[in-house]
Amino acid sequence: MSTTLGEVASILRSKNAGPYLLTLDVFFDSTEAFNQVKMSGIITDSLVSRCYGIDESDVINLGWHDSARGLKITIVRPAVSGSPGDRDVYGCQQHAPLLGVKIPIDI
Amino acid sequence: MLGFGFPDDSFEMNIALNPHVMGIDAGSTDNGPHNLGGGIVEAARSTTADDLRRILTASRSRRIPVVIGSAGTSGSDSGVEWMLDIAHEIARECGWSLRIATVRSELHKDYVKRKLRAGKIRSLGPEEPLSVQTIEETTHIVGLMGVEQIVDALDLEPDLVIAGRSCDAAIFASLAIREGYPKGLAWHMGQILECGAMCSEADHGAAEPMTGIIREDHFTVGSPKRSTVCSPSSVAAQSFYEESDPARLNLPGGHVWMGNSRFEQAQDGWVNISGSEWRESDRYEVLIEGATQRGYRSITIAGARDPYFISSIDLILDAVHETTARRFSDDFDLDFVVYGRDGVMGHLEPTPIPAHEVGLLIRVVAGSQTLADTIIAFVRSSIDHFKYPGIKATAANLAYPLAPGTLSCGPVYEFSVHHLMTLDSPDECFEVDVGSYS
């Protein structure tokens, strides 16, 4: 059985972390869901780099926060916020590729 | 956010809890570099005055101070002056005498150059190292203050503190730290309160006021408004908001370690938080921000519905880009944003498949408005009359929703400074002042 990260997460969002970084937050309603996703080993720097077509070195942080049942992934912005080539000044619509990530768990 | 309104009912209910301080954020870099680069205030003057009048009416009758952070959006000196002028006008209108403390955060370029030469400025990560040339090209540079500078202002016993560029959390943490509460808890409380009810489950967003109550070993956040319900996960989510690391909040002089933070449901939709630790660093570093003018922008918005045009769109846009580069020898940026395909995510888009119609945003940035207007007119006409292989619609290629079809957008800015600067003491580059206004 499997599900998707979008199905199992209660919050999945992106936002600027300052003008140079983009941060993706994923939260889970239950400790069980959080633990299963974390233990599945699916979410890695390499997965993020494949989802977004970026170098792994541009994934600058991927961290789990147990007490908050949250996952935070921070990547380098493709263009600095508000600079001539930027497309999303708040960085709030860059999360969609994570929604479809398949998680081999049954919740 | 000051100037964008807040609901009367929850404001009254939160005020009825008799807080010791009221705080409101008035700025950010989130809207882009133009606020700092051009001294442009995001909120309207009239709505800012309306909000401030309501806040001051409530705070004066309770004799509590109000702290406004990042005045005038950018927190530059012109933003602080703008806010001071509004507060003065309110004082005159209402017949009040207001004691107002200001904390200025704009930095002189010579000072920043001296700090750079002394090796006191470093990059955070993806940014280029700062150079003297970049400092010279930057219009305004501000430093983000922490709590120490707002505490200095609160020591002057003002009715109102108007702070320049501030860490959002400092607005709400300063009084608690001044009163001797643990820094880790106070800063974490500030981080949660800075976006209002975004820390709650209900869909109230940042306009809704919230209250934090700090004790020696924990703090509690929530609202007396029944529909504003906080849960451990909603509060935890706000703890991470706009930060790059899930366990640490980097702040002037140290960081809050949230790896051991506990979030527990309390009664009536409030949440207790404990375990957040302050870890002092060996130096006092502040973030400095600056923006510079890059040029002038012109844009065109258009749509296309022809399937042959859509299937050839990259070929067409690449060819027009090349023709334009040959036609104009000046420096300019031209890019095309294709909505309905990869308009929102660009290179990050994993499925760049066009829909049956696409929107096209054409953007030009050049050295003068005239040049940007000239280039965009050329680009527009070139696409309109481009004869691609298999073309059937020979009239024109683009549907314009606006007439005139091109827009002159004025100056364009970009962030040029986003670095960490070490101070010898927290008050080194921030100027606290106080005066009476009536």
Side-chain angles (χ1 to χ4, degrees), chain A residues 13 15-17 19-20 23 27 54 61 65 67-68 72 74 81 84-87 89-90 94, chain B residues 30-31 127 236-237 240-246 258 261 336-337 342-345 348 363 415 418:
Chain A
R13 67 186 180 195
K15 188 75 189 359
N16 295 343
Y20 293 78
T23 192
F27 292 93
I54 56 173
N61 192 22
H65 194 297
S67 63
K72 183 179 266 297
T74 302
S81 171
D86 184 32
R87 290 152 180 258
V89 171
Y90 296 136
Q94 305 299 314
Chain B
D30 229 25
N31 299 300
E127 303 83 355
F240 296 9
Y241 191 59
E242 298 174 325
E243 295 296 328
S244 59
D245 188 313
M258 300 186 294
S261 298
F336 305 101
V337 182
D342 58 357
V344 174
M345 298 190 63
L348 297 185
R363 307 189 286 192
F415 288 109
H418 192 257

mmCIF file of all heavy atoms in Angstrom, chain A residues 13 15-17 19-20 23 27 54 61 65 67-68 72 74 81 84-87 89-90 94, chain B residues 30-31 127 236-237 240-246 258 261 336-337 342-345 348 363 415 418:
data_model
loop_
_atom_site.group_PDB
_atom_site.id
_atom_site.type_symbol
_atom_site.label_atom_id
_atom_site.label_comp_id
_atom_site.label_asym_id
_atom_site.label_seq_id
_atom_site.Cartn_x
_atom_site.Cartn_y
_atom_site.Cartn_z
ATOM 1 N N ARG A 13 3.573 23.474 2.813
ATOM 2 C CA ARG A 13 3.634 24.844 2.282
ATOM 3 C C ARG A 13 5.063 25.236 1.921
ATOM 4 O O ARG A 13 6.020 24.595 2.360
ATOM 5 C CB ARG A 13 3.094 25.812 3.345
ATOM 6 C CG ARG A 13 3.982 25.897 4.565
ATOM 7 C CD ARG A 13 3.398 26.743 5.698
ATOM 8 N NE ARG A 13 4.323 26.752 6.830
ATOM 9 C CZ ARG A 13 4.012 27.137 8.059
ATOM 10 N NH1 ARG A 13 2.787 27.554 8.347
ATOM 11 N NH2 ARG A 13 4.920 27.126 9.017
ATOM 12 N N LYS A 15 7.583 28.932 1.509
ATOM 13 C CA LYS A 15 7.639 30.357 1.838
ATOM 14 C C LYS A 15 9.095 30.796 1.790
ATOM 15 O O LYS A 15 9.995 29.977 1.953
ATOM 16 C CB LYS A 15 7.064 30.589 3.258
ATOM 17 C CG LYS A 15 6.881 32.049 3.652
ATOM 18 C CD LYS A 15 5.691 32.652 2.967
ATOM 19 C CE LYS A 15 5.480 34.132 3.069
ATOM 20 N NZ LYS A 15 6.276 35.027 3.752
ATOM 21 N N ASN A 16 9.315 32.098 1.590
ATOM 22 C CA ASN A 16 10.674 32.620 1.695
ATOM 23 C C ASN A 16 11.202 32.402 3.105
ATOM 24 O O ASN A 16 10.452 32.559 4.075
ATOM 25 C CB ASN A 16 10.680 34.133 1.485
ATOM 26 C CG ASN A 16 10.274 34.547 0.100
ATOM 27 O OD1 ASN A 16 10.270 33.749 -0.820
ATOM 28 N ND2 ASN A 16 9.928 35.816 -0.052
ATOM 29 N N ALA A 17 12.485 32.077 3.203
ATOM 30 C CA ALA A 17 13.187 32.215 4.485
ATOM 31 C C ALA A 17 14.240 33.278 4.188
ATOM 32 O O ALA A 17 15.390 32.975 3.915
ATOM 33 C CB ALA A 17 13.807 30.893 4.914
ATOM 34 N N PRO A 19 15.161 36.617 1.497
ATOM 35 C CA PRO A 19 15.016 36.726 0.042
ATOM 36 C C PRO A 19 15.817 35.708 -0.768
ATOM 37 O O PRO A 19 15.595 35.568 -1.961
ATOM 38 C CB PRO A 19 15.533 38.138 -0.265
ATOM 39 C CG PRO A 19 15.743 38.813 1.028
ATOM 40 C CD PRO A 19 15.827 37.775 2.092
ATOM 41 N N TYR A 20 16.748 35.005 -0.133
ATOM 42 C CA TYR A 20 17.646 34.126 -0.883
ATOM 43 C C TYR A 20 17.318 32.649 -0.752
ATOM 44 O O TYR A 20 17.870 31.828 -1.470
ATOM 45 C CB TYR A 20 19.101 34.351 -0.455
ATOM 46 C CG TYR A 20 19.627 35.709 -0.842
ATOM 47 C CD1 TYR A 20 19.304 36.844 -0.112
ATOM 48 C CD2 TYR A 20 20.423 35.870 -1.972
ATOM 49 C CE1 TYR A 20 19.769 38.102 -0.465
ATOM 50 C CE2 TYR A 20 20.898 37.118 -2.343
ATOM 51 C CZ TYR A 20 20.565 38.234 -1.583
ATOM 52 O OH TYR A 20 21.034 39.462 -1.953
ATOM 53 N N THR A 23 11.798 27.865 1.856
ATOM 54 C CA THR A 23 11.685 26.803 2.846
ATOM 55 C C THR A 23 10.352 26.097 2.713
ATOM 56 O O THR A 23 9.312 26.740 2.488
ATOM 57 C CB THR A 23 11.960 27.342 4.267
ATOM 58 O OG1 THR A 23 12.122 26.239 5.145
ATOM 59 C CG2 THR A 23 10.855 28.236 4.772
ATOM 60 N N PHE A 27 3.797 19.325 7.932
ATOM 61 C CA PHE A 27 3.381 18.957 9.287
ATOM 62 C C PHE A 27 2.378 17.820 9.224
ATOM 63 O O PHE A 27 1.643 17.673 8.244
ATOM 64 C CB PHE A 27 2.750 20.150 10.011
ATOM 65 C CG PHE A 27 3.740 21.229 10.318
ATOM 66 C CD1 PHE A 27 3.928 22.287 9.452
ATOM 67 C CD2 PHE A 27 4.494 21.164 11.475
ATOM 68 C CE1 PHE A 27 4.861 23.274 9.723
ATOM 69 C CE2 PHE A 27 5.433 22.145 11.758
ATOM 70 C CZ PHE A 27 5.610 23.200 10.892
ATOM 71 N N ILE A 54 17.019 20.275 -9.182
ATOM 72 C CA ILE A 54 18.123 21.130 -8.715
ATOM 73 C C ILE A 54 19.255 20.249 -8.202
ATOM 74 O O ILE A 54 19.068 19.062 -7.940
ATOM 75 C CB ILE A 54 17.663 22.089 -7.581
ATOM 76 C CG1 ILE A 54 17.040 21.293 -6.417
ATOM 77 C CG2 ILE A 54 16.677 23.112 -8.118
ATOM 78 C CD1 ILE A 54 16.708 22.136 -5.202
ATOM 79 N N ASN A 61 19.166 22.366 3.788
ATOM 80 C CA ASN A 61 18.772 21.810 5.077
ATOM 81 C C ASN A 61 17.585 20.892 4.878
ATOM 82 O O ASN A 61 16.691 21.179 4.062
ATOM 83 C CB ASN A 61 18.420 22.957 6.041
ATOM 84 C CG ASN A 61 18.276 22.477 7.482
ATOM 85 O OD1 ASN A 61 18.812 21.431 7.848
ATOM 86 N ND2 ASN A 61 17.549 23.219 8.274
ATOM 87 N N HIS A 65 11.508 17.662 13.050
ATOM 88 C CA HIS A 65 11.305 18.207 14.385
ATOM 89 C C HIS A 65 10.256 17.354 15.069
ATOM 90 O O HIS A 65 9.069 17.481 14.800
ATOM 91 C CB HIS A 65 10.869 19.670 14.290
ATOM 92 C CG HIS A 65 10.957 20.388 15.598
ATOM 93 N ND1 HIS A 65 10.206 20.017 16.684
ATOM 94 C CD2 HIS A 65 11.713 21.429 16.000
ATOM 95 C CE1 HIS A 65 10.498 20.824 17.696
ATOM 96 N NE2 HIS A 65 11.413 21.689 17.307
ATOM 97 N N SER A 67 8.986 16.986 18.228
ATOM 98 C CA SER A 67 7.905 17.451 19.110
ATOM 99 C C SER A 67 6.859 18.257 18.340
ATOM 100 O O SER A 67 5.704 18.321 18.742
ATOM 101 C CB SER A 67 8.461 18.244 20.293
ATOM 102 O OG SER A 67 9.102 19.403 19.841
ATOM 103 N N ALA A 68 7.263 18.852 17.229
ATOM 104 C CA ALA A 68 6.288 19.609 16.431
ATOM 105 C C ALA A 68 5.684 18.748 15.321
ATOM 106 O O ALA A 68 4.807 19.207 14.594
ATOM 107 C CB ALA A 68 6.956 20.830 15.814
ATOM 108 N N LYS A 72 11.171 20.168 7.813
ATOM 109 C CA LYS A 72 11.505 21.407 7.116
ATOM 110 C C LYS A 72 12.615 21.139 6.120
ATOM 111 O O LYS A 72 13.610 20.495 6.443
ATOM 112 C CB LYS A 72 11.923 22.489 8.116
ATOM 113 C CG LYS A 72 12.203 23.830 7.455
ATOM 114 C CD LYS A 72 12.579 24.894 8.457
ATOM 115 C CE LYS A 72 11.434 25.740 8.924
ATOM 116 N NZ LYS A 72 10.786 26.546 7.877
ATOM 117 N N THR A 74 14.938 23.238 3.255
ATOM 118 C CA THR A 74 15.279 24.577 2.775
ATOM 119 C C THR A 74 16.174 24.458 1.550
ATOM 120 O O THR A 74 17.162 23.717 1.573
ATOM 121 C CB THR A 74 15.950 25.397 3.888
ATOM 122 O OG1 THR A 74 15.053 25.449 5.001
ATOM 123 C CG2 THR A 74 16.238 26.815 3.435
ATOM 124 N N SER A 81 14.326 36.840 -4.334
ATOM 125 C CA SER A 81 12.958 37.367 -4.270
ATOM 126 C C SER A 81 12.872 38.787 -4.842
ATOM 127 O O SER A 81 13.621 39.674 -4.435
ATOM 128 C CB SER A 81 12.474 37.365 -2.817
ATOM 129 O OG SER A 81 11.251 38.049 -2.734
ATOM 130 N N PRO A 84 14.673 40.712 -11.114
ATOM 131 C CA PRO A 84 14.005 40.683 -12.413
ATOM 132 C C PRO A 84 13.536 39.300 -12.896
ATOM 133 O O PRO A 84 12.519 39.189 -13.540
ATOM 134 C CB PRO A 84 15.045 41.307 -13.343
ATOM 135 C CG PRO A 84 15.744 42.299 -12.474
ATOM 136 C CD PRO A 84 15.838 41.619 -11.125
ATOM 137 N N GLY A 85 14.232 38.234 -12.598
ATOM 138 C CA GLY A 85 13.803 36.922 -13.092
ATOM 139 C C GLY A 85 12.885 36.143 -12.153
ATOM 140 O O GLY A 85 12.458 35.045 -12.476
ATOM 141 N N ASP A 86 12.577 36.703 -10.989
ATOM 142 C CA ASP A 86 11.786 35.957 -9.996
ATOM 143 C C ASP A 86 10.329 35.847 -10.445
ATOM 144 O O ASP A 86 9.799 36.720 -11.123
ATOM 145 C CB ASP A 86 11.877 36.659 -8.635
ATOM 146 C CG ASP A 86 11.160 35.866 -7.553
ATOM 147 O OD1 ASP A 86 11.145 34.631 -7.636
ATOM 148 O OD2 ASP A 86 10.605 36.504 -6.637
ATOM 149 N N ARG A 87 9.665 34.729 -10.034
ATOM 150 C CA ARG A 87 8.273 34.501 -10.419
ATOM 151 C C ARG A 87 7.342 34.408 -9.226
ATOM 152 O O ARG A 87 6.120 34.252 -9.401
ATOM 153 C CB ARG A 87 8.176 33.176 -11.181
ATOM 154 C CG ARG A 87 8.817 33.249 -12.538
ATOM 155 C CD ARG A 87 9.324 31.898 -12.977
ATOM 156 N NE ARG A 87 9.931 31.998 -14.289
ATOM 157 C CZ ARG A 87 9.321 31.612 -15.408
ATOM 158 N NH1 ARG A 87 8.123 31.095 -15.378
ATOM 159 N NH2 ARG A 87 9.927 31.746 -16.563
ATOM 160 N N VAL A 89 7.283 36.172 -5.533
ATOM 161 C CA VAL A 89 7.968 37.055 -4.575
ATOM 162 C C VAL A 89 7.892 36.507 -3.143
ATOM 163 O O VAL A 89 8.868 36.556 -2.406
ATOM 164 C CB VAL A 89 7.401 38.489 -4.658
ATOM 165 C CG1 VAL A 89 7.939 39.365 -3.534
ATOM 166 C CG2 VAL A 89 7.757 39.122 -5.999
ATOM 167 N N TYR A 90 6.742 35.963 -2.743
ATOM 168 C CA TYR A 90 6.627 35.387 -1.392
ATOM 169 C C TYR A 90 7.141 33.943 -1.336
ATOM 170 O O TYR A 90 7.270 33.385 -0.260
ATOM 171 C CB TYR A 90 5.164 35.373 -0.932
ATOM 172 C CG TYR A 90 4.523 36.725 -0.776
ATOM 173 C CD1 TYR A 90 3.248 36.983 -1.239
ATOM 174 C CD2 TYR A 90 5.210 37.759 -0.133
ATOM 175 C CE1 TYR A 90 2.667 38.237 -1.090
ATOM 176 C CE2 TYR A 90 4.630 39.009 0.008
ATOM 177 C CZ TYR A 90 3.361 39.246 -0.468
ATOM 178 O OH TYR A 90 2.782 40.478 -0.326
ATOM 179 N N GLN A 94 5.532 27.187 -4.297
ATOM 180 C CA GLN A 94 6.600 26.319 -4.806
ATOM 181 C C GLN A 94 6.556 24.932 -4.170
ATOM 182 O O GLN A 94 7.503 24.154 -4.280
ATOM 183 C CB GLN A 94 7.973 26.972 -4.552
ATOM 184 C CG GLN A 94 8.108 28.376 -5.127
ATOM 185 C CD GLN A 94 7.938 28.431 -6.634
ATOM 186 O OE1 GLN A 94 8.498 27.620 -7.355
ATOM 187 N NE2 GLN A 94 7.141 29.371 -7.126
ATOM 188 N N ASP B 30 9.462 40.886 2.711
ATOM 189 C CA ASP B 30 8.714 39.891 1.964
ATOM 190 C C ASP B 30 8.075 40.406 0.672
ATOM 191 O O ASP B 30 7.878 39.654 -0.260
ATOM 192 C CB ASP B 30 7.621 39.337 2.862
ATOM 193 C CG ASP B 30 7.613 37.835 2.850
ATOM 194 O OD1 ASP B 30 8.671 37.259 2.568
ATOM 195 O OD2 ASP B 30 6.557 37.251 3.094
ATOM 196 N N ASN B 31 7.729 41.671 0.652
ATOM 197 C CA ASN B 31 7.079 42.212 -0.544
ATOM 198 C C ASN B 31 8.056 42.445 -1.682
ATOM 199 O O ASN B 31 7.647 42.754 -2.795
ATOM 200 C CB ASN B 31 6.368 43.517 -0.209
ATOM 201 C CG ASN B 31 5.294 43.313 0.836
ATOM 202 O OD1 ASN B 31 4.363 42.556 0.619
ATOM 203 N ND2 ASN B 31 5.443 43.951 1.978
ATOM 204 N N GLU B 127 24.466 34.162 -0.717
ATOM 205 C CA GLU B 127 24.804 35.505 -1.179
ATOM 206 C C GLU B 127 26.289 35.616 -1.501
ATOM 207 O O GLU B 127 27.117 34.966 -0.892
ATOM 208 C CB GLU B 127 24.461 36.562 -0.110
ATOM 209 C CG GLU B 127 23.020 36.558 0.321
ATOM 210 C CD GLU B 127 22.721 35.512 1.397
ATOM 211 O OE1 GLU B 127 23.633 34.721 1.740
ATOM 212 O OE2 GLU B 127 21.580 35.479 1.858
ATOM 213 N N ALA B 236 3.381 25.006 16.783
ATOM 214 C CA ALA B 236 4.692 24.514 16.349
ATOM 215 C C ALA B 236 4.966 24.961 14.918
ATOM 216 O O ALA B 236 6.077 25.367 14.585
ATOM 217 C CB ALA B 236 4.742 22.994 16.448
ATOM 218 N N ALA B 237 3.928 24.900 14.072
ATOM 219 C CA ALA B 237 4.101 25.302 12.671
ATOM 220 C C ALA B 237 4.543 26.758 12.590
ATOM 221 O O ALA B 237 5.398 27.117 11.781
ATOM 222 C CB ALA B 237 2.804 25.091 11.897
ATOM 223 N N PHE B 240 8.305 27.613 13.178
ATOM 224 C CA PHE B 240 9.239 27.402 12.063
ATOM 225 C C PHE B 240 9.089 28.447 10.969
ATOM 226 O O PHE B 240 9.851 28.444 10.034
ATOM 227 C CB PHE B 240 8.927 26.103 11.315
ATOM 228 C CG PHE B 240 9.069 24.840 12.055
ATOM 229 C CD1 PHE B 240 9.286 24.801 13.407
ATOM 230 C CD2 PHE B 240 8.977 23.656 11.354
ATOM 231 C CE1 PHE B 240 9.405 23.589 14.058
ATOM 232 C CE2 PHE B 240 9.097 22.453 11.992
ATOM 233 C CZ PHE B 240 9.318 22.413 13.345
ATOM 234 N N TYR B 241 8.050 29.250 11.049
ATOM 235 C CA TYR B 241 7.626 30.034 9.900
ATOM 236 C C TYR B 241 8.742 30.933 9.377
ATOM 237 O O TYR B 241 9.336 31.697 10.131
ATOM 238 C CB TYR B 241 6.394 30.860 10.293
ATOM 239 C CG TYR B 241 5.694 31.512 9.141
ATOM 240 C CD1 TYR B 241 5.181 30.753 8.095
ATOM 241 C CD2 TYR B 241 5.544 32.885 9.085
ATOM 242 C CE1 TYR B 241 4.538 31.347 7.031
ATOM 243 C CE2 TYR B 241 4.892 33.485 8.032
ATOM 244 C CZ TYR B 241 4.391 32.712 7.000
ATOM 245 O OH TYR B 241 3.754 33.306 5.948
ATOM 246 N N GLU B 242 9.010 30.830 8.103
ATOM 247 C CA GLU B 242 10.002 31.664 7.426
ATOM 248 C C GLU B 242 11.411 31.504 7.981
ATOM 249 O O GLU B 242 12.252 32.376 7.830
ATOM 250 C CB GLU B 242 9.594 33.151 7.458
ATOM 251 C CG GLU B 242 8.287 33.425 6.730
ATOM 252 C CD GLU B 242 7.796 34.852 6.888
ATOM 253 O OE1 GLU B 242 7.996 35.414 7.973
ATOM 254 O OE2 GLU B 242 7.222 35.387 5.934
ATOM 255 N N GLU B 243 11.669 30.387 8.651
ATOM 256 C CA GLU B 243 13.022 30.112 9.144
ATOM 257 C C GLU B 243 13.598 28.983 8.308
ATOM 258 O O GLU B 243 12.864 28.166 7.749
ATOM 259 C CB GLU B 243 12.978 29.698 10.622
ATOM 260 C CG GLU B 243 12.496 30.803 11.552
ATOM 261 C CD GLU B 243 13.445 31.999 11.572
ATOM 262 O OE1 GLU B 243 14.654 31.792 11.419
ATOM 263 O OE2 GLU B 243 12.955 33.126 11.730
ATOM 264 N N SER B 244 14.935 28.903 8.249
ATOM 265 C CA SER B 244 15.523 27.874 7.392
ATOM 266 C C SER B 244 15.800 26.577 8.149
ATOM 267 O O SER B 244 15.998 25.546 7.546
ATOM 268 C CB SER B 244 16.804 28.395 6.748
ATOM 269 O OG SER B 244 17.713 28.748 7.750
ATOM 270 N N ASP B 245 15.809 26.620 9.460
ATOM 271 C CA ASP B 245 16.143 25.434 10.256
ATOM 272 C C ASP B 245 14.988 25.156 11.214
ATOM 273 O O ASP B 245 14.504 26.073 11.870
ATOM 274 C CB ASP B 245 17.433 25.754 11.031
ATOM 275 C CG ASP B 245 18.008 24.539 11.749
ATOM 276 O OD1 ASP B 245 17.228 23.825 12.414
ATOM 277 O OD2 ASP B 245 19.220 24.317 11.661
ATOM 278 N N PRO B 246 14.528 23.887 11.311
ATOM 279 C CA PRO B 246 13.358 23.631 12.141
ATOM 280 C C PRO B 246 13.623 23.708 13.637
ATOM 281 O O PRO B 246 12.683 23.777 14.424
ATOM 282 C CB PRO B 246 12.953 22.201 11.753
ATOM 283 C CG PRO B 246 14.197 21.570 11.259
ATOM 284 C CD PRO B 246 14.994 22.680 10.622
ATOM 285 N N MET B 258 15.025 25.047 19.750
ATOM 286 C CA MET B 258 13.661 24.551 19.962
ATOM 287 C C MET B 258 13.586 23.025 19.895
ATOM 288 O O MET B 258 12.503 22.460 19.911
ATOM 289 C CB MET B 258 12.724 25.162 18.919
ATOM 290 C CG MET B 258 12.670 26.688 18.990
ATOM 291 S SD MET B 258 11.429 27.390 17.888
ATOM 292 C CE MET B 258 12.109 26.950 16.290
ATOM 293 N N SER B 261 11.733 21.843 22.739
ATOM 294 C CA SER B 261 10.493 22.572 23.067
ATOM 295 C C SER B 261 9.331 21.607 23.157
ATOM 296 O O SER B 261 9.232 20.666 22.368
ATOM 297 C CB SER B 261 10.192 23.619 21.994
ATOM 298 O OG SER B 261 11.219 24.571 21.949
ATOM 299 N N PHE B 336 10.326 35.793 -20.491
ATOM 300 C CA PHE B 336 8.938 35.440 -20.783
ATOM 301 C C PHE B 336 8.448 34.485 -19.707
ATOM 302 O O PHE B 336 9.109 33.484 -19.410
ATOM 303 C CB PHE B 336 8.849 34.740 -22.144
ATOM 304 C CG PHE B 336 9.438 35.539 -23.271
ATOM 305 C CD1 PHE B 336 10.712 35.251 -23.751
ATOM 306 C CD2 PHE B 336 8.723 36.576 -23.857
ATOM 307 C CE1 PHE B 336 11.269 35.978 -24.791
ATOM 308 C CE2 PHE B 336 9.276 37.309 -24.905
ATOM 309 C CZ PHE B 336 10.552 37.013 -25.373
ATOM 310 N N VAL B 337 7.301 34.786 -19.124
ATOM 311 C CA VAL B 337 6.716 33.889 -18.136
ATOM 312 C C VAL B 337 5.466 33.292 -18.784
ATOM 313 O O VAL B 337 4.555 34.032 -19.169
ATOM 314 C CB VAL B 337 6.351 34.655 -16.845
ATOM 315 C CG1 VAL B 337 5.790 33.695 -15.806
ATOM 316 C CG2 VAL B 337 7.575 35.393 -16.301
ATOM 317 N N ASP B 342 4.618 26.761 -17.044
ATOM 318 C CA ASP B 342 5.573 26.759 -15.930
ATOM 319 C C ASP B 342 5.737 28.181 -15.384
ATOM 320 O O ASP B 342 6.799 28.546 -14.896
ATOM 321 C CB ASP B 342 6.923 26.188 -16.380
ATOM 322 C CG ASP B 342 7.518 26.973 -17.545
ATOM 323 O OD1 ASP B 342 6.850 27.914 -18.032
ATOM 324 O OD2 ASP B 342 8.639 26.666 -17.969
ATOM 325 N N GLY B 343 4.648 28.959 -15.486
ATOM 326 C CA GLY B 343 4.721 30.372 -15.099
ATOM 327 C C GLY B 343 5.080 30.588 -13.649
ATOM 328 O O GLY B 343 5.796 31.527 -13.308
ATOM 329 N N VAL B 344 4.583 29.725 -12.768
ATOM 330 C CA VAL B 344 4.785 29.941 -11.332
ATOM 331 C C VAL B 344 6.150 29.429 -10.878
ATOM 332 O O VAL B 344 6.810 30.039 -10.049
ATOM 333 C CB VAL B 344 3.662 29.245 -10.522
ATOM 334 C CG1 VAL B 344 3.928 29.326 -9.029
ATOM 335 C CG2 VAL B 344 2.310 29.869 -10.864
ATOM 336 N N MET B 345 6.594 28.309 -11.440
ATOM 337 C CA MET B 345 7.796 27.678 -10.902
ATOM 338 C C MET B 345 9.018 27.745 -11.809
ATOM 339 O O MET B 345 10.131 27.455 -11.363
ATOM 340 C CB MET B 345 7.509 26.210 -10.554
ATOM 341 C CG MET B 345 6.433 26.075 -9.474
ATOM 342 S SD MET B 345 6.266 24.405 -8.822
ATOM 343 C CE MET B 345 7.870 24.166 -8.084
ATOM 344 N N LEU B 348 11.968 25.168 -11.745
ATOM 345 C CA LEU B 348 11.650 24.184 -10.699
ATOM 346 C C LEU B 348 10.431 23.336 -11.059
ATOM 347 O O LEU B 348 10.115 22.380 -10.372
ATOM 348 C CB LEU B 348 11.373 24.897 -9.361
ATOM 349 C CG LEU B 348 12.508 25.692 -8.723
ATOM 350 C CD1 LEU B 348 12.077 26.225 -7.358
ATOM 351 C CD2 LEU B 348 13.766 24.843 -8.562
ATOM 352 N N ARG B 363 8.560 40.537 -19.713
ATOM 353 C CA ARG B 363 9.184 41.495 -18.788
ATOM 354 C C ARG B 363 10.507 42.000 -19.357
ATOM 355 O O ARG B 363 11.363 41.205 -19.758
ATOM 356 C CB ARG B 363 9.472 40.832 -17.440
ATOM 357 C CG ARG B 363 8.259 40.156 -16.840
ATOM 358 C CD ARG B 363 8.520 39.699 -15.420
ATOM 359 N NE ARG B 363 9.379 38.518 -15.333
ATOM 360 C CZ ARG B 363 9.545 37.808 -14.209
ATOM 361 N NH1 ARG B 363 8.941 38.180 -13.103
ATOM 362 N NH2 ARG B 363 10.331 36.749 -14.201
ATOM 363 N N PHE B 415 17.683 43.108 -4.143
ATOM 364 C CA PHE B 415 18.442 43.028 -2.900
ATOM 365 C C PHE B 415 19.922 42.956 -3.228
ATOM 366 O O PHE B 415 20.340 42.232 -4.136
ATOM 367 C CB PHE B 415 18.028 41.795 -2.088
ATOM 368 C CG PHE B 415 16.665 41.937 -1.472
ATOM 369 C CD1 PHE B 415 15.590 41.199 -1.931
ATOM 370 C CD2 PHE B 415 16.459 42.843 -0.434
ATOM 371 C CE1 PHE B 415 14.334 41.342 -1.366
ATOM 372 C CE2 PHE B 415 15.197 42.992 0.133
ATOM 373 C CZ PHE B 415 14.127 42.238 -0.328
ATOM 374 N N HIS B 418 22.554 41.372 2.166
ATOM 375 C CA HIS B 418 21.811 40.471 3.054
ATOM 376 C C HIS B 418 22.886 39.668 3.764
ATOM 377 O O HIS B 418 23.145 38.516 3.433
ATOM 378 C CB HIS B 418 20.870 39.579 2.225
ATOM 379 C CG HIS B 418 19.865 38.833 3.047
ATOM 380 N ND1 HIS B 418 19.987 37.505 3.337
ATOM 381 C CD2 HIS B 418 18.731 39.250 3.650
ATOM 382 C CE1 HIS B 418 18.946 37.126 4.077
ATOM 383 N NE2 HIS B 418 18.171 38.171 4.278
#
